[in-house]
Amino acid sequence: MYLSRPTGVARFAASSSSSSSASLFPGVDVDTTTKTGALHFEETKERIKKLFDKVELSVSAYDTAWVAMVPSPNSLNQPLFPECINWVLDSQHADGSWGLLHNDQLLMKANLLSTLACVLTLKRWNIGHDHMSKALDFIKSNIASATDENQRSPVGFDIIFPGMIEYAKDLNLNLPLAPTNVDALVRKKELELRSCRSNSEGGKAYLAYVSEGIGKLQDWDMVMQYQRKNGSLFNSPSTTAAAFMHRNDDGCFDYLRSLLQKFDGSVPTIYPLDIYARLHMVDSLQKFGIARHFKEEIRSVLDETYRCWMQGEENIFLDASTCAMAFRMLRVEGYDVSSDQLTQFSEDIFPNCLGGYLKDFGASLELYKASQIITHPDESVLENINSWTSRFLKHGLSSDSVWSDRTDSVVKQEAVNALEFPYNATLERLISKRAMESYSGDIVRISKSPYACLNFGHQDFLELAVEDFNTLQRIHLKELEELQRWVVENKLDELKFFRLHLGYCYFAAAATLTDPELHDARIAWAQNGVLTTVVDDFYDGGGSEEELDNLIELVEKWDPDGEVGYCSKDVEIVFLALHSTVCEIGRRALVWQGRSVMRNVIDGWLALLKVMRKEAEWSTNKVVPSMGEYMEQAHVSFALGPIILPMLFFVGPKLSEEMIGSCEYQKLYKLMSTAGRLKNDIRSYDRECKEGKLNILSLWMIDGGGNVTKEEAIEAIKGDFERAIRELLGLVLQENTTIPRACKDLFWKLMSIVNLFYMEDDGYTSNRLMNTVKAMFEQPMDLDALLNK
């Protein structure tokens, strides 16, 4: 065996097919948007901005009915909140039911629950007899749904619904239910109660949450242990109303009164939900790829969230989804938040809370996403959460019975995306495309009753995302045409040793650098990606030793007309392409940076060529270096240096010579390149082994003296990879450092796309990836089709 200069990142551009990228994208209109389109775009943006001002929650007939049942402490025959009774009288549907109007037939259990609660309210105050008559007919006609396992079941239904039937008896209300139906419901309640009481703290929390279904048999001292600072029980109006009726607690009263003052005669099923709703809105905008249009609004949300985090706000820390989202978003944006706050959601503790007991799939998904933002070597709590949530999500996805309707399918697709594209292997453009394809504006969540929130998935999000995506697609196609001309003008298509696939190189840039104004950065990324592919092939057998030395000398002298000369036509093409491209980058960067960056770029290329020459000598002489010697060369030969540096000059901040020469820059570069090299070598080992070549995996086994298996070596290298990317992420997210955040982000983005490309194979043989590339450029998003699917 001998050492070959291992395949660099530029190999992403290589393909067994040498088809021109022009043939991939025929017949697409590349005209810019019209003035009318631009006006509509701005109007949509303004509507979305207004959503930041107020969280719009749907009314819960179920919870409003329970608040309406509360008697006045001064007279048990008088309602404390008569405005809720008026709402009940005014809000019955034509079929006799109450509840959220929705075309989902699987919400019938929820409608039965809400309708029976409203009937009990009217009976309690002896009014609305006609309303009750119609409602009882509705219940009689649909009671079979109460025991239908295919129906979406509100939280606690099996305890609350039978409990309300028993309460109806206390009120002398004759429900038109067959004894067999009632008996079946009562048996289910008894089974559920036994299960909860034999369970841990999570079962106790659940019993407290569904207190209205237990009534006078409830341990109200236990229930009041869950009272929050705002006076509520679990932020649930119905639970709080039931507690107030039994305990006459001042905190419960203050909470209920504040609700009525805010919502004017009706209440939602959960309140407050502001922090969660606004974080969810920010998350949606980010997934749709349109967050850059709302930077000020998002910063305001995150600043307020961070203030609440630092003050220990219950509405963050008592809810797994909110806490996980807050942690992830704040940490990613550079806020100083500790993962210690997530200890309560570790595998052995989470079941003790309500969400853990309910096996909340959505909360587990948010915890999984949060657990990936590891920036310190000792964050075992995040590792623990990542382990159990990934297992839990995979199990849930494999269970056919879990996914019964459109709402669940959206959550399912989010989980699929999160598992398939972890945070360290994410493409913004691809994520936004998938978010649009799985969009469902008709999202109804279900707690004790169904609820909707405009901030969760407004149709304007989709409209803006589609328009933005298609506009960027037209920009990208123009840039691709520019790159195709560049290839021909520099005669790169004439190099026989070079397999050109421009689509991959540009896809990496376009799918990552999504801002329209980053044209120069995308072009520089793609051009240098192609050029690193050229020299990669050239030094990996495409050129003779004389040619390799000739190219290095030419770059050192940097004079296309100088005395060095060209020993071959291939050397001339390669050098002149490199020279003209670097000079053009230098001219463009002068505008952005206000200084010449030519020397920085040339030095980057020279460093790469010399390392490649060294590895070519190793290969020729069959040298077997130590792992340390190998990695010192191999992280450079992975060829990210000439790609990352020119990009940094085109993203906004000015970079001085001191910044580029700083220890921080060098560390960012080395961590990024080391991670990429390790991932590359794991994936390419089998192929390179067959070719008699060495890489870090084979060197690891050699260093083990025959006592280390391939599997053991892979696990060890994976550990090195994980440590490298965690350290890289920590450095990227660290505030107040030498390198500006906008520049540090590019190191992470470039590492992420490397990781994504090497997730399944050796980075350039994936048909699935090629199909993704084609779809990104060929297929505009169709708003009507997305809305009507």
Side-chain angles (χ1 to χ4, degrees):
M1 298 179 73
Y2 64 94
L3 182 87
S4 167
R5 191 201 55 70
T7 307
V9 69
R11 283 291 192 187
F12 298 150
S15 170
S16 57
S17 169
S18 59
S19 58
S20 165
S21 33
S23 64
L24 291 179
F25 318 115
V28 180
D29 178 17
V30 296
D31 291 337
T32 57
T33 54
T34 63
K35 290 183 179 179
T36 302
L39 178 61
H40 176 73
F41 192 84
E42 292 302 316
E43 290 173 347
T44 307
K45 279 171 57 177
E46 289 306 311
R47 289 197 300 272
I48 293 175
K49 286 181 179 181
K50 291 179 180 178
L51 291 175
F52 281 96
D53 298 332
K54 186 178 181 181
V55 174
E56 297 281 355
L57 292 171
S58 60
V59 172
S60 167
Y62 172 79
D63 288 85
T64 301
W66 273 101
V67 175
M69 286 186 230
V70 176
S72 170
N74 301 320
S75 174
L76 296 181
N77 294 320
Q78 295 294 324
L80 183 59
F81 302 110
E83 59 269 45
C84 291
I85 299 174
N86 292 332
W87 184 91
V88 170
L89 290 170
D90 292 340
S91 303
Q92 189 177 31
H93 302 316
D95 63 358
S97 71
W98 281 269
L100 189 67
L101 276 176
H102 195 267
N103 59 7
D104 190 345
Q105 294 301 310
L106 297 178
L107 292 176
M108 186 55 71
K109 279 188 179 181
N111 289 340
L112 285 170
L113 200 66
S114 297
T115 302
L116 182 53
C118 289
V119 169
L120 294 177
T121 296
L122 298 177
K123 179 63 176 178
R124 172 70 178 81
W125 304 116
N126 196 28
I127 57 173
H129 299 288
D130 290 340
H131 292 73
M132 282 193 284
S133 178
K134 290 176 63 178
L136 292 174
D137 287 341
F138 173 83
I139 293 172
K140 180 180 179 180
S141 300
N142 295 282
I143 191 60
S145 295
T147 53
D148 184 353
E149 297 298 329
N150 293 320
Q151 284 280 328
R152 294 187 73 192
S153 187
V155 176
F157 180 87
D158 289 338
I159 291 177
I160 295 173
F161 194 71
M164 290 198 299
I165 292 175
E166 293 169 1
Y167 184 37
K169 293 178 183 178
D170 295 340
L171 295 174
N172 295 316
L173 174 62
N174 184 26
L175 297 176
L177 303 178
T180 53
N181 293 127
V182 175
D183 290 344
L185 291 166
V186 170
R187 282 196 301 272
K188 290 194 73 174
K189 176 182 178 181
E190 291 173 349
L191 286 172
E192 182 123 355
L193 288 173
R194 279 200 295 270
S195 173
C196 296
R197 286 166 179 157
S198 64
N199 205 280
S200 62
E201 289 298 313
K204 285 175 58 179
Y206 176 65
L207 288 178
Y209 180 62
V210 298
S211 288
E212 64 268 35
I214 302 174
K216 55 192 176 185
L217 298 179
Q218 179 63 283
D219 179 355
W220 290 101
D221 288 334
M222 179 274 290
V223 172
M224 296 308 294
Q225 294 175 12
Y226 295 94
Q227 188 171 31
R228 300 190 177 184
K229 293 177 182 178
N230 63 11
S232 78
L233 281 304
F234 304 98
N235 285 341
S236 167
S238 54
T239 308
T240 308
F244 182 69
M245 285 189 276
H246 287 271
R247 294 299 296 263
N248 200 26
D249 179 81
D250 289 342
C252 292
F253 171 74
D254 290 340
Y255 171 77
L256 295 172
R257 182 179 60 181
S258 69
L259 277 179
L260 271 301
Q261 290 173 345
K262 181 175 181 63
F263 292 99
D264 192 26
S266 62
V267 298
T269 197
I270 303 173
Y271 183 82
L273 199 64
D274 294 39
I275 296 175
Y276 174 82
R278 288 193 170 94
L279 288 174
H280 191 282
M281 182 176 173
V282 171
D283 191 43
S284 296
L285 295 173
Q286 291 172 341
K287 284 186 291 191
F288 278 121
I290 52 178
R292 70 181 186 279
H293 299 295
F294 308 97
K295 291 180 180 179
E296 291 184 9
E297 291 79 9
I298 290 174
R299 176 57 62 181
S300 178
V301 168
L302 295 181
D303 284 345
E304 176 62 16
T305 302
Y306 184 61
R307 184 189 67 79
C308 293
W309 180 284
M310 297 305 294
Q311 292 179 353
E313 172 62 54
E314 284 184 332
N315 292 321
I316 291 179
F317 296 111
L318 292 182
D319 179 74
S321 293
T322 306
C323 188
M325 273 204 297
F327 171 81
R328 171 171 58 89
M329 293 182 186
L330 290 174
R331 177 169 276 197
V332 166
E333 291 302 320
Y335 295 84
D336 184 16
V337 289
S338 171
S339 60
D340 292 344
Q341 298 287 359
L342 273 66
T343 301
Q344 61 179 316
F345 307 120
S346 57
E347 186 171 16
D348 57 336
I349 301 177
F350 187 46
N352 294 331
C353 69
L354 180 62
Y357 177 79
L358 294 173
K359 295 180 171 58
D360 188 329
F361 192 87
S364 300
L365 174 58
E366 290 301 337
L367 286 168
Y368 172 73
K369 291 190 286 187
S371 70
Q372 299 176 63
I373 316 301
I374 301 178
T375 58
H376 305 292
D378 57 347
E379 293 192 301
S380 58
V381 62
L382 296 181
E383 294 175 353
N384 176 284
I385 292 172
N386 185 267
S387 176
W388 79 256
T389 54
S390 61
R391 282 185 276 110
F392 178 82
L393 294 174
K394 289 172 184 176
H395 176 74
L397 291 173
S398 66
S399 174
D400 293 336
S401 62
V402 174
W403 312 111
S404 56
D405 67 358
R406 188 175 181 182
T407 302
D408 281 336
S409 70
V410 174
V411 179
K412 177 182 179 180
Q413 187 58 52
E414 278 195 46
V416 170
N417 292 343
L419 290 167
E420 186 175 357
F421 300 105
Y423 185 71
N424 60 25
T426 300
L427 281 180
E428 295 176 21
R429 194 91 165 121
L430 184 56
I431 291 299
S432 63
K433 184 175 185 293
R434 287 199 170 193
M436 286 182 275
E437 290 170 343
S438 61
Y439 170 82
S440 175
D442 198 18
I443 293 179
V444 172
R445 303 190 176 202
I446 190 163
S447 180
K448 286 183 182 175
S449 69
Y451 67 99
C453 177
L454 282 177
N455 307 71
F456 286 171
H458 199 283
Q459 182 173 315
D460 281 338
F461 294 5
L462 181 65
E463 291 186 11
L464 191 71
V466 167
E467 195 167 349
D468 189 69
F469 184 94
N470 291 340
T471 299
L472 286 171
Q473 189 177 74
R474 290 188 288 269
I475 292 172
H476 293 161
L477 285 168
K478 282 190 170 184
E479 291 176 352
L480 190 58
E481 290 177 352
E482 178 183 341
L483 288 166
Q484 291 164 347
R485 289 193 298 271
W486 168 80
V487 167
V488 174
E489 289 168 0
N490 286 277
K491 302 180 180 179
L492 295 176
D493 54 334
E494 298 179 14
L495 296 173
K496 302 301 182 185
F497 62 84
F498 172 50
R499 295 179 299 166
L500 172 65
H501 194 167
L502 185 59
Y504 270 177
C505 281
Y506 182 68
F507 167 73
T512 305
L513 304 175
T514 56
D515 288 7
E517 63 269 21
L518 296 182
H519 164 273
D520 289 341
R522 285 190 293 272
I523 294 297
W525 181 336
Q527 288 177 337
N528 286 301
V530 170
L531 290 173
T532 54
T533 308
V534 170
V535 298
D536 181 41
D537 287 346
F538 197 50
Y539 278 78
D540 196 20
S544 66
E545 290 189 11
E546 180 186 6
E547 287 175 317
L548 306 185
D549 292 333
N550 185 204
L551 182 59
I552 291 175
E553 188 177 5
L554 284 164
V555 174
E556 287 177 330
K557 300 298 184 182
W558 203 249
D559 184 359
D561 301 316
E563 59 185 24
V564 175
Y566 308 101
C567 69
S568 71
K569 184 65 175 177
D570 284 349
V571 172
E572 181 179 15
I573 291 175
V574 173
F575 177 72
L576 290 179
L578 184 61
H579 185 276
S580 65
T581 302
V582 170
C583 288
E584 177 59 25
I585 287 172
R587 283 190 289 272
R588 293 185 179 185
L590 185 62
V591 177
W592 288 77
Q593 296 292 317
R595 70 177 183 90
S596 174
V597 301
M598 286 281 291
R599 192 68 257 167
N600 301 123
V601 180
I602 295 169
D603 287 346
W605 274 104
L606 194 56
L608 174 63
L609 296 178
K610 288 182 176 180
V611 165
M612 287 183 167
R613 184 69 181 99
K614 178 71 173 179
E615 291 184 344
E617 291 176 3
W618 283 352
S619 180
T620 300
N621 298 323
K622 296 181 172 53
V623 172
V624 179
S626 68
M627 288 192 292
E629 290 172 330
Y630 171 80
M631 286 305 300
E632 193 60 33
Q633 302 292 317
H635 85 271
V636 178
S637 68
F638 196 59
L640 296 184
I643 296 176
I644 187 69
L645 181 59
M647 280 197 296
L648 299 179
F649 296 131
F650 298 121
V651 293
K654 286 183 166 52
L655 294 175
S656 65
E657 291 281 356
E658 292 73 22
M659 288 179 177
I660 295 172
S662 68
C663 293
E664 182 185 344
Y665 179 91
Q666 296 305 317
K667 192 171 185 179
L668 286 163
Y669 165 62
K670 188 167 186 178
L671 288 169
M672 170 190 66
S673 298
T674 297
R677 169 55 68 198
L678 293 174
K679 199 61 177 280
N680 167 275
D681 282 11
I682 290 175
R683 288 302 185 189
S684 62
Y685 168 76
D686 290 337
R687 174 176 56 81
E688 293 187 337
C689 188
K690 290 178 182 177
E691 296 171 358
K693 301 175 182 178
L694 296 174
N695 68 19
I696 190 61
L697 183 52
S698 51
L699 289 175
W700 191 283
M701 289 186 283
I702 291 172
D703 193 60
N707 297 318
V708 178
T709 66
K710 173 186 173 183
E711 290 70 25
E712 290 170 339
I714 288 175
E715 287 305 309
I717 295 169
K718 283 182 177 179
D720 290 340
F721 169 80
E722 289 296 331
R723 284 186 287 274
I725 63 173
R726 289 179 186 182
E727 189 175 356
L728 175 62
L729 182 58
L731 192 54
V732 168
L733 301 183
Q734 185 178 341
E735 291 289 287
N736 303 317
T737 58
T738 302
I739 307 299
R741 175 63 190 270
C743 297
K744 290 195 295 182
D745 281 343
L746 290 185
F747 287 90
W748 181 257
K749 289 179 178 181
L750 187 49
M751 189 286 303
S752 294
I753 198 168
V754 168
N755 193 22
L756 174 65
F757 280 19
Y758 282 119
M759 282 179 71
E760 293 185 355
D761 46 47
D762 62 0
Y764 64 94
T765 59
S766 172
N767 290 327
R768 190 169 72 108
L769 183 60
M770 188 59 208
N771 291 335
T772 300
V773 173
K774 292 174 67 176
M776 292 291 290
F777 294 110
E778 285 186 345
Q779 301 169 10
M781 302 304 293
D782 185 332
L783 179 61
D784 290 336
L786 292 171
L787 289 174
N788 297 318
K789 68 178 185 293

